[in-house]
Amino acid sequence: MEIEYRNSVKDISEGIYQVGNVFSRSGTPILVAEDNHYGGYCFIDLSDAKILTPCCATLKTLAEGYSSVGDKLVKAKLIIDYKLDGDE
């Protein structure tokens, strides 16, 4: 995955914690995601695809409970290399 820093956003009101945004926390790319199965919002670590937070009912609750002062909004490009059955 390639990470390109776009800008630094620290205030929740500026929209860093919106679904689909990727931010960097100590160099780790984190996706703000909506979990349709459980009906909530969470952070996902893109380096190992693990869910970092419990599902929260609202984005505001997620941001208030799990945001960090050092979070920076980033532009991330994810490249996935996979093989289909039978491919070399």
Side-chain angles (χ1 to χ4, degrees):
M1 178 172 14
E2 301 171 25
I3 299 293
E4 174 189 327
Y5 288 94
R6 183 170 57 188
N7 57 4
S8 175
V9 179
K10 296 179 184 169
D11 185 1
I12 294 170
S13 65
E14 291 186 46
I16 187 173
Y17 306 111
Q18 297 296 318
V19 172
N21 279 358
V22 176
F23 63 91
S24 177
R25 180 178 289 169
S26 302
T28 301
I30 299 171
L31 172 69
V32 180
E34 181 176 6
D35 186 335
N36 292 325
H37 182 70
Y38 293 107
Y41 302 92
C42 61
F43 292 157
I44 299 175
D45 183 337
L46 289 178
S47 62
D48 60 11
K50 291 187 179 177
I51 297 174
L52 297 176
T53 61
C55 280
C56 296
T58 66
L59 283 169
K60 183 178 179 181
T61 304
L62 179 68
E64 288 174 351
Y66 300 99
S67 64
S68 178
V69 173
D71 293 349
K72 295 180 180 183
L73 187 64
V74 296
K75 180 179 179 183
K77 179 179 179 182
L78 179 61
I79 300 171
I80 301 172
D81 186 16
Y82 64 93
K83 294 180 182 178
L84 299 174
D85 288 340
D87 286 349
E88 293 290 325

